[in-house]
Amino acid sequence: LLSPNTVPTRAFPSKSDDLYIAAKNSLVLFFDNVRKLTTGMSDLLCIAATGGFLSSRKLYTDADEFTHALHVCVVLNGIHDFIGEPDLAQRCLVINVRKDPEAKNQSKADLAKAFAADAPHIFGGMLDLMAKILAVLPEVEPIHDERMIDFARWLAALERVVGLPEGQLQEAYHRNLLDSASNILSTDLLAMTVLSVAKNLPAEGWTGTPTELLMALNAAAGTNATTTAHWPKNPSALSLQLRELIEPLSAAGVALEQGKRGKTRSWHLRYTGSNT
């Protein structure tokens, strides 16, 4: 309704510069038929969601730097599970759309005509709603400490404005994030092994060095798993991978914390059983 760019949907770009150019000229980006995201593009989408800067060499210079601000709302559509990075999943709201078996397909012309008739009412209603939300926004506090905490605060304000029970929308959003984390865990061999080990620990959990933890995970996973390309080959690699899994594992009821024990970094692993 407000974006100066009238491009409805587009293919996902292959380069960061293309994403920046598209974001610069739009308020909302729509990417259709997304099949897979590289780790690099996942990182860029994280920046786009929360705001940040990209830097590159300024044209016709050797030492001058040019920075690009990147902050835009992004809609990703596809039938594949393309969100595979935990940090991106924590910045996404996943909506699974199902076709209504009783609905009839509409032509593009009929749909555009119907929307044009309703657009003033939709837009006016949205502005009225946002004005009410802004009025109560300073007074509300989110019930969950989400990564996208500003969005959670908006949900808390929306609940109050429309008269919903406190926490109803926030709980739905929290469950959405948990489901996304569970989907990522189900495809990550290391995460599933940590979860399996954690479930068999005593109530107080386990604390040890990265070397000790890797030995325990190797024993639990077996030779077939530990020889795969993505399995950590040394304690340092294990720690790097575990840091990325802290939030998804927490959603599955596993408390994973990295601390210090003397001069050696240690890991504490405990199964809380608070989530499934």
Side-chain angles (χ1 to χ4, degrees):
L1 293 171
L2 290 175
S3 181
N5 196 320
T6 58
V7 177
T9 60
R10 63 184 83 200
F12 196 81
S14 58
K15 297 186 296 183
S16 60
D17 287 349
D18 294 334
L19 180 63
Y20 158 71
I21 293 172
K24 182 180 180 181
N25 298 311
S26 301
L27 297 179
V28 184
L29 295 177
F30 294 87
F31 296 114
D32 200 10
N33 294 322
V34 180
R35 179 178 293 268
K36 186 177 181 181
L37 295 174
T38 64
T39 54
M41 274 302 177
S42 290
D43 292 342
L44 285 177
L45 289 173
C46 288
I47 296 175
T50 49
F53 291 87
L54 306 177
S55 62
S56 60
R57 181 175 61 83
K58 195 172 183 179
L59 290 178
Y60 310 114
T61 66
D62 292 325
D64 293 336
E65 183 183 40
F66 182 71
T67 58
H68 319 276
L70 181 60
H71 194 195
V72 66
C73 180
V74 180
V75 179
L76 303 170
N77 180 51
I79 61 174
H80 302 275
D81 291 330
F82 48 80
I83 298 176
E85 298 297 324
D87 51 350
L88 179 59
Q90 290 295 309
R91 291 169 168 86
C92 291
L93 178 62
V94 179
I95 302 174
N96 293 312
V97 181
R98 296 290 181 263
K99 182 177 175 62
D100 184 352
E102 298 181 359
K104 295 182 179 179
N105 292 327
Q106 288 183 280
S107 69
K108 187 175 182 180
D110 289 342
L111 183 61
K113 182 179 179 180
F115 180 72
D118 293 338
H121 305 285
I122 296 172
F123 191 40
M126 290 174 62
L127 293 177
D128 289 340
L129 182 60
M130 285 190 288
K132 295 176 182 178
I133 290 175
L134 288 171
V136 302
L137 195 62
E139 306 170 8
V140 298
E141 288 294 335
I143 61 176
H144 294 293
D145 188 23
E146 313 289 10
R147 180 188 288 269
M148 301 293 284
I149 194 65
D150 291 322
F151 180 65
R153 188 181 297 274
W154 269 80
L155 291 178
L158 179 59
E159 291 166 348
R160 179 179 298 188
V161 167
V162 300
L164 290 174
E166 183 181 2
Q168 181 173 327
L169 295 179
Q170 297 178 73
E171 286 293 345
Y173 176 52
H174 184 64
R175 177 54 57 182
N176 191 279
L177 295 178
L178 293 181
D179 290 343
S180 296
S182 297
N183 289 337
I184 292 176
L185 288 183
S186 65
T187 60
D188 192 297
L189 180 58
L190 177 61
M192 294 304 294
T193 305
V194 173
L195 177 59
S196 176
V197 170
K199 287 183 176 181
N200 294 297
L201 292 175
E204 65 273 15
W206 175 93
T207 300
T209 66
T211 300
E212 293 167 340
L213 180 55
L214 181 59
M215 292 175 61
L217 294 174
N218 285 342
T223 305
N224 290 337
T226 58
T227 55
T228 59
H230 297 292
W231 188 266
K233 306 305 179 185
N234 55 65
S236 296
L238 173 65
S239 293
L240 287 174
Q241 290 182 233
L242 288 180
R243 292 189 194 110
E244 297 180 356
L245 294 173
I246 289 177
E247 289 188 13
L249 284 170
S250 176
V254 177
L256 182 64
E257 301 174 353
Q258 187 177 28
K260 293 183 177 181
R261 193 177 69 181
K263 295 182 179 180
T264 306
R265 301 282 285 182
S266 63
W267 282 97
H268 180 69
L269 180 64
R270 183 171 60 89
Y271 184 65
T272 65
S274 58
N275 296 299
T276 57

